[in-house]
Amino acid sequence: MTHPAPADALRAALADLVDGLPPRQAAQAVERLIANYRGDTPTDAPILRDRADVVAYAAYRMPATFAAVRSALDAFAAAVPGWVPGGHVDVGGGTGAATWAVSDTWAGTRPVTVLDWAEPALALGREIAASLPALREVRWRRSRIGAALDIESTDLVTVSYVLNELTGPDRAALVDAAAGAARAVVIVEAGTPAGYARVIEARDRLIAAGFRVAAPCPHSAACPIVPGADWCHFAARVSRSSLHRQVKSGSLAYEDEKFSYVAATRLPAEPAASRVVRRPQIRKGQVLLDLCEPDEQLRRRTVTKRHGDLYKAARDAAWGDSWPPGED
């Protein structure tokens, strides 16, 4: 029997959930929850309080979280070709978007545990996961995310859109716990200056713990971006549902989820030779590429028609790609 790809199965499961929720109620719940997420949230107060909250927010945010984590995992997988995680722990995973992204990146089944403090989110995550055979045996465990966090030994730990909810000491404790438990850690945050700052903070702790950065950086030295002057982030395209369009009052069929991330590992890794860190600018007869390069510098490279096949590749290059082509 052929099963749908995780991305398609997730889209269908979320559509079924929203089908029974009045559109106005769903939109109002999402707007309130977004306002809460943008504010300061104490670590002992789960934002998702009941099923209505969780259904609305899952329908609105899971596709974007899936797309961002999937993009980060794709870059990580390119840096560790042939490796497949034998186990996965998703910290602060809520309804489990990152578990779907991992399953979409690496086929097969593996022991998976989702840790979160919001029981309604875990319950809904379990319900949605039943639609994908690879996720039916996932363990959904309620756990406080912070200094008391205990992560079982595993190959891969993902932490997506969680650090923003924690205090500084709890962020440090989470990253240290992940580093102590896993061979690979992938952390994703919102693609804002503040999200990037949290990612850099985590990146520094992972390197101090003996990890090597596999993506997006082509090196494990200090980030060349001057704090406050710019920030490193990427974009993943997300198909908008009717709920998205209603909340955003927009008509476009898609939106771009901006995110910052770091993927680090104790495994042998082959980072990109360089990384495209802005949308390429296509001009007449030339393409301008903004690159993070292995000598810890940011540089703009101009690729012209004189470069032949490289020029064709530059025209096809996307924000977040490795450069030159064929390095993945």
Side-chain angles (χ1 to χ4, degrees), residues 245-269:
R245 290 194 289 273
Q246 183 176 359
V247 172
K248 291 284 185 78
S249 300
S251 57
L252 288 177
Y254 64 86
E255 65 180 4
D256 288 331
E257 171 72 6
K258 305 290 180 60
F259 65 98
S260 295
Y261 79 97
V262 62
T265 184
R266 298 187 187 277
L267 300 161

Side-chain angles (χ1 to χ4, degrees), residues 140-186:
W140 303 83
R141 203 176 93 202
R142 189 173 187 185
S143 174
R144 180 182 174 86
I145 310 301
L149 179 66
D150 178 32
I151 304 176
E152 64 196 49
S153 180
T154 189
D155 275 349
L156 173 67
V157 167
T158 55
V159 185
S160 52
Y161 298 91
V162 174
L163 299 183
N164 65 304
E165 300 178 38
L166 304 178
T167 63
D170 280 348
R171 287 197 301 270
L174 188 162
V175 174
D176 290 348
R183 302 172 72 195
V185 177
V186 177

Side-chain angles (χ1 to χ4, degrees), residues 51-71:
R51 182 179 171 84
D53 275 0
V54 177
V55 167
Y57 203 76
Y60 185 77
R61 279 300 304 169
M62 274 189 83
T65 300
F66 172 90
V69 176
R70 182 66 179 82
S71 182

